[in-house]
Amino acid sequence: MATKCLTEENMNIKLKEMKYAVRGDVPIAAERIEKELNSGTSTRPFSEILYCNIGNPHSVGQKAITWYRQVMALVNCTSLLDNPNVGSMFPKDVITRAKEIIGSVKGGTGAYSHSKGIPEFRKHVAEFIHSRDGHSCDPENIYLTGGASQGIEKVLSAVINSPKDAVLIPIPQYPLYSALITLLGGAQVGYYLEEDKGWGFNLESTRAAIAAARTQGLNPRAFCVINPGNPTGQVMSQEDLTAIVQLCKEERLVLLADEVYQENIYTNCKKFVSLKKVVRDLGPDYDSFEMASFHSTSKGIIGECGRRGGYMELVGFSPEVEAHIFKLTCMGLCPNLDGQVLTDLMVKPPVPGSDSYEGYMAERSAIFESLKSKALMLVAALQDIEGVSCQPAEGAMYAFPSIHLPAGAIAAAKAKSQAPDLFYCLALLEETGICCVPGSGFLQVEGTYHFRTTFLPPEEKLKAAMTRFKDFHAAFTAKYS
């Protein structure tokens, strides 16, 4: 048999080195077990996999909000508007909004748009940001994107120019960041969040991390913030955000603000504050501050991950740099149109008094209250288990509990060349059907062990899963003690 032209030995080494734990060893094993369950020959003590590894709300039962789907139906199938009964099939405001969107989409949703996205949609995003922050926003600074990830990749592609160019990321972090930094050939520098302080930000240790990176010959170029946190679920205070902006200005770092969970705030003690607002509140001295912020239709209350909608706002970048980011954007021709339409609907929802408003708000409220209830229930259940501790899930869609692993389990993991929390999560999956992501995939303080779990599945399934988890943890600890 002839040798392949492209082999693992001669392929891009950065792609080989890149890791993405959210769809790593545990989810791959879950798919294998799911096939076994579906074959009807399984003798396992569970009948389905409970996927808690990824923030994919609709895949585990969250319902689509009616108003979004109604407008999109008319926008994608414009012939429905010619039906004489359309007024009895769709609310009046849905028909009006669909016609407005159709008028903005030249050639329909099957045609390419401007590479930054449809101008009218970008204008609506700018109005949303202005309303949220109390500061103006230029639609020309808005890029519609295929989810937040696409925008983050574009900005990091512009930032990383050599193997010594470093990007600061929170530890624990979302694996997209470490994966992209590896793929783009840069260096990652972690700033550690303080678990015992609710995953709080520590300015002094972050300064020390920057200084240490420079001592090692690295060139820190950018600073990433995830607020609310993923995987940690904390909501950052305006004081900490202000300190980060000031630090970035002092250290000449481009700031990346990942704010896709801005609607997912479950604590009454905190509220979301955007980094764009923080920058503008600091006054004229920060007018040229370089920052990119990101939002998405995949999270929040919408949860439409498959639509791949979102936006990024670029502020303070030189025209020359932004021209190159635009060039990179043009390579993809345009963001997908369904995602663009959904982003427009996200930032410009039904208004009070419209036909759809009350139903829309009722559906949103039901989804939000369910998420809030499940966040509280899950953390309380985890806290009730000996050998497990969990900080409050103030926001986002995840809990990130710490687990105590006996020495025997750590030794057994080492014998299999596995991280101890990966070994634990694989055993959890095999014995309970619960699919989580080991903390080692998000990075963590040396000698500590965690896993990330969503609280997205239906509440009754989560409660049953927590009972299985409690029994599993006790048996696992006894086995390896």
Side-chain angles (χ1 to χ4, degrees):
M1 182 177 177
T3 302
K4 295 292 184 183
C5 299
L6 181 63
T7 67
E8 192 174 23
E9 288 70 33
N10 66 22
M11 70 180 291
N12 185 336
I13 191 170
K14 297 302 180 185
L15 180 56
K16 283 199 293 182
E17 292 173 350
M18 186 187 83
K19 296 178 181 179
Y20 187 65
V22 174
R23 294 201 171 181
D25 292 340
V26 181
I28 290 170
E31 291 177 1
R32 169 182 55 78
I33 295 171
E34 188 169 51
K35 289 179 181 178
E36 176 191 318
L37 294 171
N38 291 339
S39 72
T41 60
S42 174
T43 58
R44 295 178 183 272
F46 52 89
S47 59
E48 65 174 342
I49 300 295
L50 190 68
Y51 284 100
C52 297
N53 62 300
I54 192 167
N56 191 11
H58 289 205
S59 73
V60 288
Q62 181 174 307
K63 300 299 183 184
I65 293 177
T66 304
W67 183 77
Y68 296 132
R69 292 298 182 92
Q70 287 178 324
V71 177
M72 293 183 74
L74 292 176
V75 170
N76 279 315
C77 187
T78 57
S79 61
L80 290 173
L81 291 167
D82 299 326
N83 189 312
N85 297 317
V86 68
S88 61
M89 294 188 293
F90 294 91
K92 182 179 178 181
D93 66 315
V94 166
I95 295 171
T96 300
R97 185 61 181 279
K99 288 180 177 179
E100 290 173 355
I101 291 173
I102 291 165
S104 301
V105 182
K106 295 179 181 178
T109 55
Y112 290 135
S113 74
H114 188 283
S115 291
K116 284 187 177 182
I118 292 166
E120 192 69 15
F121 296 174
R122 289 188 281 127
K123 175 174 175 285
H124 293 160
V125 171
E127 290 168 351
F128 164 80
I129 292 171
H130 184 186
S131 175
R132 182 193 66 190
D133 297 339
H135 295 284
S136 62
C137 176
D138 185 350
E140 283 303 308
N141 293 337
I142 302 298
Y143 289 66
L144 301 185
T145 58
S149 304
Q150 194 178 81
I152 293 165
E153 182 175 6
K154 285 180 171 62
V155 175
L156 289 179
S157 294
V159 165
I160 296 172
N161 185 42
S162 84
K164 292 188 179 297
D165 285 342
V167 179
L168 279 100
I169 59 175
I171 304 298
Q173 54 104 31
Y174 178 52
L176 170 73
Y177 291 94
S178 55
L180 281 174
I181 293 165
T182 298
L183 185 62
L184 295 169
Q188 66 183 45
V189 173
Y191 64 95
Y192 283 79
L193 304 176
E194 297 186 320
E195 183 170 8
D196 61 349
K197 295 180 181 177
W199 298 110
F201 173 71
N202 185 306
L203 178 61
E204 293 313 310
S205 65
T206 302
R207 285 188 189 280
I210 295 171
R214 291 201 169 106
T215 299
Q216 295 163 15
L218 298 178
N219 177 28
R221 300 288 309 279
F223 192 104
C224 299
V225 174
I226 309 173
N227 181 43
N230 176 11
T232 45
Q234 86 285 9
V235 178
M236 298 185 72
S237 69
Q238 186 159 357
E239 291 74 19
D240 282 346
L241 295 171
T242 300
I244 288 171
V245 171
Q246 292 169 334
L247 176 68
C248 287
K249 188 173 190 291
E250 292 168 16
E251 299 286 354
R252 294 183 55 78
L253 303 172
V254 173
L255 179 59
L256 281 73
D258 183 337
E259 299 174 335
V260 302
Y261 298 101
Q262 60 188 258
E263 290 188 275
N264 301 101
I265 310 288
Y266 311 119
T267 174
N268 295 325
C269 302
K270 296 181 181 179
K271 63 179 182 178
F272 170 77
V273 180
S274 79
L275 275 160
K276 167 74 176 299
K277 175 176 172 56
V278 171
V279 170
R280 291 293 177 251
D281 283 352
L282 284 167
D285 287 348
Y286 286 77
D287 283 352
S288 61
F289 183 84
E290 293 154 271
M291 183 186 75
S293 58
F294 311 93
H295 195 11
S296 170
T297 60
S298 299
K299 312 304 178 184
I301 312 302
I302 300 175
E304 296 251 17
C305 300
R307 302 288 175 185
R308 308 311 298 137
Y311 70 78
M312 71 173 175
E313 180 187 13
L314 302 182
V315 295
F317 290 89
S318 73
E320 294 80 9
V321 167
E322 191 159 348
H324 288 295
I325 293 175
F326 178 60
K327 174 179 64 179
L328 181 60
T329 300
C330 290
M331 284 178 57
L333 297 174
C334 75
N336 82 82
L337 269 290
D338 270 3
Q340 290 194 51
V341 171
L342 190 58
T343 300
D344 185 60
L345 298 178
M346 175 181 74
V347 300
K348 191 179 176 184
V351 297
S354 63
D355 293 346
S356 299
Y357 180 76
E358 289 188 7
Y360 168 82
M361 292 302 295
E363 290 181 48
R364 279 183 58 89
S365 177
I367 293 170
F368 177 82
E369 292 301 327
S370 174
L371 289 170
K372 182 177 180 179
S373 173
K374 289 186 289 188
L376 293 170
M377 181 275 292
L378 182 66
V379 170
L382 290 167
Q383 284 283 72
D384 191 47
I385 299 171
E386 185 176 354
V388 178
S389 64
C390 189
Q391 296 297 319
E394 297 175 333
M397 296 176 172
Y398 317 99
F400 196 65
S402 173
I403 48 175
H404 172 74
L405 297 181
I410 296 170
K414 185 177 181 180
K416 288 192 169 188
S417 299
Q418 293 177 346
D421 47 16
L422 171 59
F423 179 76
Y424 179 90
C425 286
L426 286 169
L428 175 66
L429 171 67
E430 290 283 348
E431 296 183 32
T432 70
I434 301 170
C435 181
C436 297
V437 188
S440 49
F442 299 90
L443 307 181
Q444 56 199 342
V445 171
E446 186 74 23
T448 67
Y449 307 105
H450 301 78
F451 65 86
R452 188 189 78 167
T453 176
T454 72
F455 42 81
L456 295 174
E459 190 158 355
E460 64 276 9
K461 289 189 177 183
L462 274 179
K463 287 180 178 178
M466 283 300 99
T467 299
R468 299 199 304 275
F469 174 75
K470 185 174 184 178
D471 293 341
F472 164 82
H473 186 77
F476 183 93
T477 300
K479 179 179 179 179
Y480 290 103
S481 292

